Amino acid sequence: LHQAPDAARVHGLNAAGGLATEQADYAHARACHDEALAIAGDLGQPQLQFQALWGLARVALWQGEYAQAGAVFEQLIRDARQTVPRSWHISTLDNLGWAAVGQGDDGLAVLHLLEAERVANQAVSRNATARELLSTLLARERKSATPGLRPLAARAGVL
């Protein structure tokens, strides 16, 4: 990776960070994404910066640092909405939903899924992560009603 052109190096570091996250090697994952973020910043490429920040937020999410993950995902939604593909925007909203669930805010999770559905009509019904989040919310809903959850789940074919 050290001899690759800078943009390719950023992609490689983010991929390595993603693999490290899945293997629960969070220190290595953070180091990869931090390095990718620094290089992307030097290059002045917002999409590469988005990808590195997204990776750092995923590490926080997997570690159960829901507030930190949510804060980074919120920043990404605010700052990068126009510079990233719609699929990344939707994935960020899904992850915001998981961060909200981790913090016990099921209503906010539903709002993030509704926003994903607004961004792309079938973003929830065709997305395994969003459907899994809906199933989790439905299982928890028995304890308290969550406005908007059941109609969204029905549209997504989860109910």
Side-chain angles (χ1 to χ4, degrees):
L1 289 178
H2 291 291
Q3 296 178 4
D6 288 338
R9 187 166 173 219
V10 170
H11 288 295
L13 286 164
N14 281 326
L19 290 173
T21 300
E22 290 178 13
Q23 296 170 352
D25 185 355
Y26 302 122
H28 181 65
R30 282 184 195 274
C32 289
H33 292 304
D34 280 337
E35 186 176 348
L37 183 59
I39 295 168
D42 290 344
L43 293 173
Q45 294 190 12
Q47 190 163 352
L48 292 177
Q49 291 172 306
F50 177 95
Q51 292 170 0
L53 283 169
W54 192 87
L56 286 167
R58 288 284 297 168
V59 173
L61 188 64
W62 281 48
Q63 285 190 285
E65 298 169 355
Y66 303 115
Q68 178 185 351
V72 175
F73 285 128
E74 286 284 351
Q75 174 190 343
L76 291 172
I77 290 293
R78 272 191 320 273
D79 297 346
R81 185 176 302 217
Q82 303 302 320
T83 62
V84 297
R86 187 169 38 176
S87 61
W88 279 81
H89 185 178
I90 292 164
S91 183
T92 301
L93 289 164
D94 291 346
N95 282 294
L96 271 167
W98 281 110
V101 164
Q103 295 179 80
D105 193 342
D106 293 1
L108 182 58
V110 170
L111 287 175
H112 290 307
L113 288 173
L114 288 168
E115 174 66 8
E117 185 181 53
R118 187 195 66 74
V119 169
N121 189 33
Q122 297 177 329
V124 177
S125 63
R126 293 191 177 176
N127 181 322
T129 302
R131 292 171 56 87
E132 181 183 347
L133 178 54
L134 277 171
S135 294
T136 297
L137 290 166
L138 285 168
R140 290 166 47 145
E141 192 205 20
R142 290 166 183 47
K143 298 170 187 134
S144 67
T146 305
L149 175 59
R150 291 200 167 269
L152 177 61
R155 286 192 304 276
V158 175
L159 191 59

